[in-house]
Amino acid sequence: SQQGEEDPQALSIQEGENATMNCSYKTSINNLQWYRQNSGRGLVHLILIRSNEREKHSGRLRVTLDTSKKSSSLLITASRAADTASYFCARAGWGKFQFGAGTQVVVTP
Amino acid sequence: NAGVTQTPKFQVLKTGQSMTLQCAQDMNHNSMYWYRQDPGMGLRLIYYSASEGTTDKGEVPNGYNVSRLNKREFSLRLESAAPSQTSVYFCASSWTGRDTEAFFGQGTRLTVV
């Protein structure tokens, strides 16, 4: 069973729009991470947010964490066609990573 | 920078055949992992190794064996392949710290017929 559950399962937007996806988890975390997977490739780490942080930014990425609701969100601003990929959250810490089922994002030009 | 290297990239097996998936990392990481990815299921942990000489079962270990040959290499063996093992297999590695990230290989697409 996955510890992280992403919502929505799929998202289709146009270039320039923002993409928001959510992740819920069941148990306590050390940190929560987001990864991107391009078609046919391995996962690539995007951003990590610690359990005592509420918001973090990296370029066009914004991640929030609400530990009281056991949820996180990833916002990609000003989407580009190159952002087309699957995005996974992972509950992580001390060498353990538990991934959700992912959100498939398609950005059309 | 090679990172995590998996071989082979593609493989077709007949039911009952055996094979070993190879994984090597050049980042001096302590921990290594094997995941399988199936449509709609995300990544499920098969086995992991927190350090050289140690291995532990993950969520879906049945039908698999692993060997942590040294710090760099972590292999996954299917002794008698079954169609249910058709999947994409990913090897990953990381430091064993509180806030560390995982680095993934490119995956092995395995089809068992």
Side-chain angles (χ1 to χ4, degrees):
Chain A
S1 63
Q2 275 77 42
Q3 279 290 334
E5 298 293 340
E6 288 90 341
D7 171 62
Q9 291 185 338
L11 183 59
S12 184
I13 57 174
Q14 293 192 314
E15 270 192 326
E17 293 181 337
N18 295 341
T20 301
M21 59 211 86
N22 304 296
C23 169
S24 61
Y25 56 92
K26 297 174 185 175
T27 57
S28 63
I29 58 169
N30 291 299
N31 66 71
L32 193 130
Q33 303 181 18
W34 288 89
Y35 289 77
R36 183 186 72 230
Q37 183 182 34
N38 292 96
S39 180
R41 309 296 292 270
L43 277 71
V44 174
H45 182 264
L46 292 176
I47 194 167
L48 178 155
I49 187 164
R50 296 183 176 86
S51 58
N52 61 352
E53 296 176 317
R54 291 297 167 260
E55 188 170 314
K56 202 161 183 180
H57 296 256
S58 177
R60 294 183 296 113
L61 304 180
R62 173 179 169 251
V63 170
T64 62
L65 179 65
D66 186 334
T67 53
S68 67
K69 295 181 180 178
K70 292 187 169 57
S71 67
S72 173
S73 67
L74 172 66
L75 168 67
I76 306 173
T77 60
S79 298
R80 304 167 182 168
D83 294 327
T84 293
S86 292
Y87 293 82
F88 295 86
C89 67
R91 187 177 73 93
W94 300 110
K96 300 281 180 70
F97 302 87
Q98 290 182 300
F99 292 87
T103 293
Q104 240 180 345
V105 176
V106 174
V107 183
T108 53
Chain B
N1 294 335
V4 179
T5 304
Q6 289 184 236
T7 55
K9 288 187 167 52
F10 300 95
Q11 184 72 48
V12 178
L13 288 179
K14 293 182 179 178
T15 297
Q17 286 185 319
S18 62
M19 80 161 293
T20 299
L21 282 65
Q22 308 286 354
C23 175
Q25 53 92 10
D26 61 1
M27 295 171 281
N28 205 32
H29 287 161
N30 309 88
S31 298
M32 297 186 73
Y33 314 83
W34 277 106
Y35 290 90
R36 61 178 288 173
Q37 184 177 34
D38 302 293
M41 300 289 290
L43 278 79
R44 292 184 291 170
L45 182 65
I46 305 171
Y47 271 93
Y48 69 98
S49 170
S51 62
E52 184 179 350
T54 68
T55 61
D56 287 288
K57 294 178 180 179
E59 186 184 351
V60 288
N62 291 346
Y64 305 95
N65 286 301
V66 290
S67 295
R68 183 74 181 267
L69 305 169
N70 47 55
K71 194 170 187 180
R72 290 187 65 248
E73 298 171 290
F74 189 38
S75 61
L76 178 72
R77 182 161 177 85
L78 286 71
E79 290 291 353
S80 178
S84 61
Q85 294 177 305
T86 293
S87 188
V88 181
Y89 291 85
F90 288 98
C91 178
S93 69
S94 79
W95 290 111
T96 310
R98 184 180 182 276
D99 295 324
T100 59
E101 65 185 83
F103 292 80
F104 282 81
Q106 299 279 47
T108 295
R109 186 172 293 275
L110 175 67
T111 302
V112 182
V113 298

